[in-house]
Amino acid sequence: SLNITDANNNTLSIVNSVAQIDIDEIKPPKPRLNKKAKATLICPQEKQAPFQLIPTLCRRNRDCRKSGNNFRCCNLFGSKRCVQGVPKPIPEPPHDPIFGIPRRCPKQPLTETFWEIKTCQTDNDCWPRVCCPDGDKKYCRTSQPVFEESDNPAARQLAYPIESVSQYLQCTPPPPVIFDIHPKSCNSTLDCFPNLCCQESGKRHCRPPRRSLLALVTGLTSRFNIGVIKDITDNLVIKK
């Protein structure tokens, strides 16, 4: 202890204590890990690959480092070339059945005219639709019922009629990027008629349907006219 006298002759006692620190117990701080791991890039499909007038040929990925770290050596259009990689697709999560009918993300998506474009994480964010991966994000999409896997015989009988009718509302996939330079944007199918307003990731573009509704109307009208003409000719009486 240490005694100190102040200006008023009061004695102050100060006790010095030394903390005992075990240096061996001191651990260096752990390095912070980046929560967002770097996405694994893969080769794009031919319809996603950009147009290259003079492609850079390669044999392996390291041959493309001069083009950039995001480039990959991909076998496209009959040759190996350096193209910019795309993120690995997000796997599709399982979906709960509705009314006992299994569901999945549509391979041929329906037009989403009456729904807004909405990102999601689970199906709870989209009900009654489902949460489907599209590129590097997930979007709410109208599900495709799998009637063939249903335990209900009546549901399995509806598979073919519903699939036939839904083809008039199913969007065709976009053409390759080199041919899809200026796609027409839309907000509803009225902006695209007789085509459909189709959701592609976070945008909407006009695309042809799998089966043309205009061709259906034309065919029905033609059959109706032929039937009417046939009835008239059958009832026609030729007077001499």
Side-chain angles (χ1 to χ4, degrees):
S1 61
L2 177 64
N3 296 328
I4 299 177
T5 303
D6 60 3
N8 298 325
N9 294 324
N10 295 323
T11 303
L12 302 177
S13 178
I14 301 176
V15 178
N16 295 327
S17 60
V18 179
Q20 300 295 328
I21 301 176
D22 190 356
I23 299 178
D24 295 334
E25 294 181 358
I26 300 178
K27 297 181 180 180
K30 295 181 179 180
R32 294 183 178 180
L33 298 177
N34 188 6
K35 295 182 180 180
K36 294 183 178 179
K38 187 177 180 180
T40 303
L41 299 179
I42 61 174
C43 291
Q45 299 178 2
E46 289 189 351
K47 64 180 181 180
Q48 298 175 319
F51 174 73
Q52 293 177 324
L53 182 61
I54 304 177
T56 302
L57 302 181
C58 59
R59 290 187 298 175
R60 56 184 68 88
N61 287 335
R62 64 184 181 184
D63 297 337
C64 303
R65 292 178 181 175
K66 294 182 180 179
S67 301
N69 294 330
N70 295 333
F71 280 73
R72 296 291 181 267
C73 184
C74 304
N75 189 2
L76 298 172
F77 307 107
S79 63
K80 285 191 173 183
R81 58 184 65 192
C82 294
V83 295
Q84 189 167 2
V86 296
K88 189 176 181 179
I90 303 174
E92 179 181 351
H95 310 288
D96 294 331
I98 183 169
F99 302 116
I101 301 175
R103 300 184 297 168
R104 66 186 178 195
C105 292
K107 296 181 180 179
Q108 299 288 344
L110 296 171
T111 177
E112 303 283 352
T113 302
F114 303 104
W115 300 95
E116 63 178 356
I117 299 177
K118 182 180 179 181
T119 57
C120 58
Q121 294 297 329
T122 63
D123 288 350
N124 295 331
D125 303 329
C126 305
W127 200 92
R129 298 188 292 171
V130 293
C131 187
C132 298
D134 190 352
D136 57 349
K137 294 183 180 180
K138 295 180 181 179
Y139 294 91
C140 296
R141 304 304 298 261
T142 302
S143 62
Q144 178 181 352
V146 188
F147 294 102
E148 298 83 358
E149 299 179 5
S150 176
D151 297 332
N152 191 342
R156 293 197 297 269
Q157 292 179 358
L158 296 174
Y160 178 74
I162 292 181
E163 183 179 357
S164 299
V165 174
S166 62
Q167 290 180 359
Y168 295 100
L169 300 175
Q170 288 178 339
C171 301
T172 54
V177 179
I178 57 176
F179 301 116
D180 194 28
I181 302 176
H182 298 291
K184 182 180 178 181
S185 301
C186 59
N187 293 319
S188 67
T189 300
L190 296 177
D191 300 334
C192 308
F193 189 81
N195 293 331
L196 301 175
C197 186
C198 302
Q199 177 180 331
E200 297 169 0
S201 296
K203 299 180 181 179
R204 284 190 174 128
H205 296 134
C206 294
R207 302 295 182 194
R210 289 187 62 190
R211 298 182 67 178
S212 175
L213 183 62
L214 192 60
L216 174 64
V217 174
T218 304
L220 293 176
T221 304
S222 176
R223 292 181 182 180
F224 176 77
N225 292 337
I226 292 175
V228 171
I229 294 174
K230 184 178 180 181
D231 292 339
I232 293 175
T233 54
D234 290 342
N235 297 327
L236 183 64
V237 177
I238 301 176
K239 296 182 180 180
K240 294 183 179 180

